[in-house]
Amino acid sequence: MDERPIGIFDTGVGGLTVVSEVMKALPGERIIYFGDTARVPYGSKSKETITKFSLQLVNFLISRGVKAIIVACNTISSNSFGELSRVVKIPMTEVVRPGVAACSAATRNKVIGVIGTEATVRSGLYEKYLKESVPGATVYSKACPLFVPLVEEGWTRNSVARETAGIYLGELLELGIDSLLLGCTHYPVMIDCIKEVVGDVTVVNPAEAVARGMKTLLRENGLESGLERTEDHTFYVSDNTPKFDGTCEAVLGRKFGAVKVDIEREE
Ligand code: DGL
């Protein structure tokens, strides 16, 4: 039994979509979350910068005594997970593999769309793993850089969100995809809008599979908390706490009151 918290982090509010599933799958686990709201988006940054920033975030979580970490960001998972794994000595999971597994199970015609940030698409990782997992698959990847600022702004259902989604996703629909993998943890915040645009295409949100993966990892490592339920969670951000708190409430259904941290001074 181990009551230390799980660390979950993202570049902003996106990782809250993973937190939401972790709270459902692992109600007895305490969570420490970090959202790097001062430096979001990472998706338009270089691999070197993404790695440098994300190392600061994992070091912060480790300094707070977490027992395991979820990299709740596709951009970091697809660009920097290897580098992070070299320095992190506790169990750590990412979001790309669970998303690939969920999408492989969902597709019927093997024509798959993946949407993510520019850096995630540039990594080519989803395409590689999906083609390994679904032999004969055709994978179309599309960067949707405007989705992240829309979600950070809380514009997830208005006409701007719908029009933006229509422009980005229209192209994939014409290519005959039957499933659409949300390869960015911010995107499930606007899943209703995305579903409206893609109609009967299956929209795959990897968050549930990510939470299940963490459950297995904790069990395999003897790190389960043993508590039946806890509300003892802490949220840290690097900037703009009130806006984060609003999104947090919308995604998790209750207020938590994030604490602001100067991440660059933490080291
Ligand atoms: N939520 C992050 C992801 O899953 C990306 C947001 C960003 O560009 O910082 O890729």
Side-chain angles (χ1 to χ4, degrees):
M1 297 302 157
D2 190 326
E3 288 183 22
R4 287 177 299 158
I6 301 172
I8 303 180
F9 73 100
D10 178 46
T11 64
V13 298
L16 296 174
T17 61
V18 174
V19 169
S20 166
E21 294 303 326
V22 170
M23 285 176 169
K24 285 181 211 155
L26 297 161
E29 297 295 341
R30 295 168 56 215
I31 293 168
I32 291 188
Y33 182 87
F34 194 95
D36 196 1
T37 46
R39 303 187 292 194
V40 67
Y42 282 25
S44 52
K45 294 180 172 60
S46 67
K47 183 179 164 72
E48 291 68 35
T49 301
I50 295 166
T51 303
K52 183 177 134 194
F53 286 178
S54 49
L55 278 167
Q56 292 171 340
L57 307 190
V58 288
N59 284 332
F60 174 82
L61 291 173
I62 290 168
S63 76
R64 292 298 186 276
V66 299
K67 61 183 173 186
I69 293 178
I70 301 178
V71 182
C73 171
N74 295 261
T75 304
I76 298 171
S77 297
S78 60
N79 281 273
S80 312
F81 192 72
E83 284 83 352
L84 297 184
S85 301
R86 274 193 279 281
V87 300
V88 174
K89 302 295 175 219
I90 55 177
M92 181 170 68
T93 59
E94 48 82 54
V95 286
V96 175
R97 289 278 189 192
V100 167
C103 194
S104 304
T107 186
R108 294 287 164 264
N109 73 358
K110 300 188 181 183
V111 185
I112 300 167
V114 182
I115 53 174
T117 66
E118 285 162 318
T120 297
V121 170
R122 188 182 60 214
S123 78
L125 211 60
Y126 270 113
E127 221 158 300
K128 178 176 182 290
Y129 289 167
L130 279 165
K131 285 183 176 169
E132 283 169 8
S133 167
V134 185
T138 305
V139 181
Y140 296 109
S141 306
K142 171 101 188 140
C144 303
L146 291 176
F147 281 176
V148 170
L150 283 172
V151 167
E152 289 287 328
E153 192 56 37
W155 285 20
T156 55
R157 285 163 179 256
N158 66 11
S159 58
V160 180
R162 270 197 303 276
E163 191 167 344
T164 309
I167 295 169
Y168 281 144
L169 305 176
E171 203 179 290
L172 291 174
L173 293 177
E174 278 171 25
L175 293 165
I177 59 164
D178 78 339
S179 48
L180 178 70
L181 175 49
L182 304 185
C184 172
T185 53
H186 276 70
Y187 300 173
V189 181
M190 54 188 290
I191 197 165
D192 293 342
C193 173
I194 291 172
K195 280 185 173 166
E196 210 176 284
V197 169
V198 301
D200 55 12
V201 166
T202 305
V203 177
V204 179
N205 172 8
E208 202 187 313
V210 173
R212 258 187 280 118
M214 179 46 76
K215 191 171 184 171
T216 307
L217 198 64
L218 293 180
R219 197 177 48 236
E220 285 171 355
N221 287 280
L223 292 172
E224 293 154 301
S225 83
L227 298 173
E228 208 164 294
R229 180 163 292 279
T230 180
E231 297 285 322
D232 183 11
H233 309 302
T234 311
F235 293 78
Y236 293 100
V237 289
S238 47
D239 203 7
N240 215 0
T241 309
K243 194 177 279 178
F244 180 91
D245 289 344
T247 311
C248 199
E249 191 176 12
V251 175
L252 302 177
R254 56 163 282 208
K255 271 208 167 64
F256 280 96
V259 179
K260 188 172 153 184
V261 161
D262 187 347
I263 191 69
E264 284 170 2
R265 282 170 178 256
E266 277 291 317
E267 285 183 301

